[in-house]
């Protein structure tokens, strides 16, 4: 089965198109032009960052232009097209290489973040007098935090008094505007060629100075927002920079977490939290998704690229103000920049939450642990509530795991079966992703069916099927939001990522559990089931699988009764993983056991093993022959931890032996060490899983083993073995252990 097709992205660009069309002849041409075959693609698919920057550019009273994408597609305003003396064909939509190739290297440097800004000054001949033009270019940051284009502004470009800079002006009134390579200003159209019907504004005096201050303020705001990495940082920038930019007495920003019932408000003296259902202007702008007029200001909704409301911007002046178009354009530009930054911060936070979710899932070791993490972390990454996970139980029944669901809601799922028409059962049965954006959709799709999620305050609900490696549904994860949440392409991709992570984890722990059970049964049959031994010895044996299940199967112990009342003890550890390690262990155990029973001297056992099996394995091993009658023990070791001797009445000591290569590489006789082993003495042989820890030195683990032995030295060997495993727990590896006491 495949994931459900993504829902179409809603379009809500009527206001944006009106702003562009109202920005002069160039704006009207951009809206009317068919961009389908261009590098920018259809107008409806232009990203929010480009849309916002274009509104600012077209309404700027100073010459400005946008260069967008890798091709540096030119989108100028009317004033930019009327720069003195154009010398080449200049049309919106042409790539930078065709319009002004010498500028491409510097513009590309800004676009690729190799340069933060680009600034050049040039003098041009304008109507018989020299004018100085300053060309400044800066990056336009997209929703992913990367430069998507370059914004270029021109200052100092004025026409002689009484002369129009319209495209219809005579050619001799437009002298050549030369620029240095890298200024970001193209060679304009050749003399006599017309721009796409531009109409150029010419501010003078105070109006011009105000326009320049606003342009600089917008640039400062855009730059500060591009560096804001969180919602808190974005709202702090907006409430700090915007008042000066728009001349306001107070600026407040409300952020709406998708699907939540409360708004987080920053700035001003009002409350920091606000219910969406509240009558305050900020709440109304979010709830009604429209601009709310105030006697002394405005409240504007903040939208993402798909039209979903992210929050609201409230601006108040010291007294009543007229609703001027210039002011509205400026506020729309501020709102667009704020919206873009909030969306970028939202995506960043979502990525961090997903990384934390994946990290938590990666360390789960059982199905129970995985379900616990899924129910806790998946809703957190999505800002959702009331999570539940459905899996098949006995017969056709469904079992529901949940993360704090109300008792009454849980009770509605007590009799759930795979044939139930409710969404969570349907998703588990069919593998279909189910999205219900509101309770009206639920009622339309399930007429007459009780709606427990709606009864407990959920508006938008989602059920994600979780599939196994064969793409068959094995579980269904459901959750919801108490306020309607639009789910656009990015949100649907996030849902798919959540499902993929959950599926991979459930499959991993399922396979690990199956392999763990298989190897445990196999290893249990291969290890001696009972502690045997001759008279005069007490023996306790233990085997404990790894906590993580990652190294299960390689450790073993073996006890071999020999003649004359002797006992051979073998403890080994094979390098490998799961079933492969268990198979190697079974073969090695059998061969070592056979060699010892055949009377092969201890020094020859391991080279003989290499001769018989070759070098297709690697590991460590310890072999001891304990003779209670002679009161001694012979020890041969190949790469294995040294055994511990606890003489009666004395502190523990490590039994040091001669060095040897690891198991599988031994070809020469192994040194054999003989130690006294009398009545009351203890010998402890073990694998490294008992003492080795990631967070401590190996010697510290051995010292801890000695410390644990001392207080329990006089207890029965079974109790000693249990204490060692209990006190030295927490290993990521298997643990094999043999404890022997000489009882006389």
């Amino acid at each position: 089965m495949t994931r459900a097709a993504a829902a179409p992205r809603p379009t809500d660009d009527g206001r944006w198109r009106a702003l562009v069309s109202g920005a002069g002849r160039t704006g009207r041409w951009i809206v009317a032009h068919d961009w389908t075959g261009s590098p920018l693609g259809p107008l409806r698919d232009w990203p929010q960052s480009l849309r916002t920057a274009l509104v600012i550019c077209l309404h700027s009273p100073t010459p400005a232009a946008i260069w967008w994408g890798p091709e540096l597609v030119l989108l100028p305003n009317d004033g930019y097209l009327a720069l003195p003396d154009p010398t080449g064909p200049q049309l919106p939509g042409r790539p930078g290489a065709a319009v002004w190739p010498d500028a491409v290297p510097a513009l590309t440097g800004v676009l690729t973040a190799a340069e933060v800004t680009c600034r050049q000054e040039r003098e041009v001949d304008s109507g018989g007098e020299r004018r100085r033009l300053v060309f400044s270019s800066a990056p336009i940051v997209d929703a992913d935090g990367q430069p998507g284009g370059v914004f270029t502004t021109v200052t100092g470009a004025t026409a002689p008094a009484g002369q129009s800079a319209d495209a219809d002006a005579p050619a001799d009134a437009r002298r050549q505007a030369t620029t240095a390579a890298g200024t970001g200003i193209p060679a304009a159209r050749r003399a006599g060629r017309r721009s796409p019907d531009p109409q150029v504004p010419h501010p003078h005096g105070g109006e011009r100075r105000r326009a320049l201050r606003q342009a600089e303020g917008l640039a400062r705001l855009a730059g500060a927002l591009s560096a804001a990495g969180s919602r808190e940082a974005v709202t702090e920038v907006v409430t700090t920079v915007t008042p000066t930019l728009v001349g306001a007495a107070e600026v407040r920003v409300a952020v709406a977490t998708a699907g939540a019932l409360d708004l987080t408000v920053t700035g001003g003296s009002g409350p920091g939290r606000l219910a969406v259902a509240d009558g305050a202007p900020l709440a109304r702008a979010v709830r009604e998704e429209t601009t709310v007029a105030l006697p002394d200001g405005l409240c504007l909704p903040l939208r993402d690229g798909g039209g979903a409301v992210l929050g609201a911007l409230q601006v108040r002046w010291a007294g009543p103000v007229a609703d001027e178009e210039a002011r509205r354009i400026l506020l729309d530009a501020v709102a667009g920049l704020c919206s873009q930054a909030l969306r970028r911060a939202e995506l960043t936070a979502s990525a961090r939450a997903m990384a934390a979710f994946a990290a938590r899932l990666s360390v789960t070791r059982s199905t129970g642990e995985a379900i616990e993490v899924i129910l806790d972390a998946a809703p957190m990454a999505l800002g959702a509530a009331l999570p539940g996970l459905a899996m098949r139980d006995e017969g056709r029944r469904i079992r529901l795991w949940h993360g704090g669901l109300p008792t009454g809601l849980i009770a509605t799922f007590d009799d759930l079966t795979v044939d139930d028409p409710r969404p969570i059962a349907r998703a588990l049965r069919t593998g279909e992703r189910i999205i219900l954006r509101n309770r009206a959709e639920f009622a339309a799709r399930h007429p007459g069916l009780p709606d427990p999620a709606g009864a407990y305050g959920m508006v938008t609900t989602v059920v994600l099927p979780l599939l196994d490696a064969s793409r068959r549904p094995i579980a269904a994860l459901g959750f919801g939001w108490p306020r309607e949440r639009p789910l656009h392409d990015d949100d649907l991709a996030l849902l798919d990522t959540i499902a993929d992570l959950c599926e991979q984890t459930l499959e991993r722990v399922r396979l690990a559990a199956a392999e763990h059970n298989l190897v445990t049964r196999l290893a249990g049959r291969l290890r001696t089931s009972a502690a045997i031994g001759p008279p005069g010895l007490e023996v306790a044996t233990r085997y404990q699988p790894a906590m993580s299940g990652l190294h299960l199967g390689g450790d073993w112990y073996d006890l071999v009764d020999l003649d004359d009342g002797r006992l051979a003890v073998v403890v080994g550890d094979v390098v490998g993983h799961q079933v492969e390690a268990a198979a190697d262990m079974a073969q090695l155990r059998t061969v070592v056991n056979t060699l010892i029973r055949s009377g092969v001297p201890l020094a020859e056992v391991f080279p003989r093993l290499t001769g018989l099996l070759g070098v297709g394995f690697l590991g460590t091993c310890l072999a001891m022959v304990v003779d209670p009658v002679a009161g001694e023990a012979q020890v041969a070791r190949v790469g294995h931890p040294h055994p511990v001797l606890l003489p009666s009445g004395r502190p523990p000591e490590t039994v040091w032996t001669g060095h040897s290569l690891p198991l599988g590489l031994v070809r020469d006789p192994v040194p054999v060490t003989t130690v006294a082993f009398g009545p009351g003495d203890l010998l402890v042989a073990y694998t490294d899983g008992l003492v080795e820890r990631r967070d401590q030195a190996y010697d510290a683990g051995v010292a801890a083993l000695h410390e644990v032995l001392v207080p329990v030295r006089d207890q029965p060997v079974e109790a000693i073995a249990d204490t060692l495993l209990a006190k030295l727990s927490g290993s990521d590896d298997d643990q094999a252990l043999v404890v022997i006491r000489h009882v006389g």
Side-chain angles (χ1 to χ4, degrees), residues 148-217:
V150 180
F151 196 108
T152 297
T153 58
V154 186
T155 57
T158 59
Q163 177 180 310
S164 171
D166 190 86
D168 293 328
D172 59 359
R174 302 192 302 270
R175 301 286 184 256
Q176 179 169 334
T178 58
T179 63
T183 60
I185 303 300
R189 62 194 182 281
R190 287 188 171 85
R193 288 184 180 257
R194 297 186 51 168
S195 69
D197 198 20
Q199 190 176 38
V200 185
H202 283 283
H204 296 281
E207 181 184 350
R208 178 177 179 78
R209 287 193 296 273
R210 185 183 69 171
L212 289 175
R213 285 197 301 270
Q214 289 179 351
E216 292 172 356

Side-chain angles (χ1 to χ4, degrees), residues 382-402:
L382 296 164
L386 301 187
L389 184 76
M391 300 181 75
R392 288 178 181 265
D393 203 358
E394 297 180 359
R396 303 189 63 78
R397 295 184 62 82
I398 292 177
R399 180 179 177 184
L400 182 71
W401 281 264
H402 58 88

Side-chain angles (χ1 to χ4, degrees), residues 600-608 636 666 668-672:
V600 174
L602 208 54
E604 297 289 340
V605 169
F606 297 116
R608 291 273 191 97
V666 182
D668 299 323
V670 174
V672 176

Side-chain angles (χ1 to χ4, degrees), residues 205-252:
E207 181 184 350
R208 178 177 179 78
R209 287 193 296 273
R210 185 183 69 171
L212 289 175
R213 285 197 301 270
Q214 289 179 351
E216 292 172 356
L218 282 172
R220 285 195 300 273
L221 177 62
L225 287 174
S226 68
S230 65
R231 294 193 319 181
E232 293 76 13
V234 170
T235 55
E236 178 68 20
V237 167
V238 173
T239 55
T240 302
V241 178
T242 305
T244 302
L245 173 61
V246 301
E250 178 186 88
V251 173
R252 304 182 74 200

Side-chain angles (χ1 to χ4, degrees), residues 294-316:
L294 308 173
D296 57 353
L298 285 174
C299 245
L300 296 86
L302 303 175
R303 303 177 184 273
D304 63 16
V309 174
L310 301 169
L313 173 69
Q314 178 177 289
V315 181
R316 288 182 181 271

Side-chain angles (χ1 to χ4, degrees), residues 28 68 73 108 125 139 173 193 219 271 300 305 320 358 369 430 454 459 484 493 508 581:
R28 290 192 292 274
W68 191 261
V73 175
T108 301
D125 186 2
R193 288 184 180 257
L300 296 86
E369 286 185 10
T430 66
V459 176
E484 184 167 347
R508 173 178 59 79

Side-chain angles (χ1 to χ4, degrees), residues 349-360 501:
S350 177
R352 289 173 180 165
M354 290 299 298
F357 179 45
R360 290 185 62 183
L501 289 172

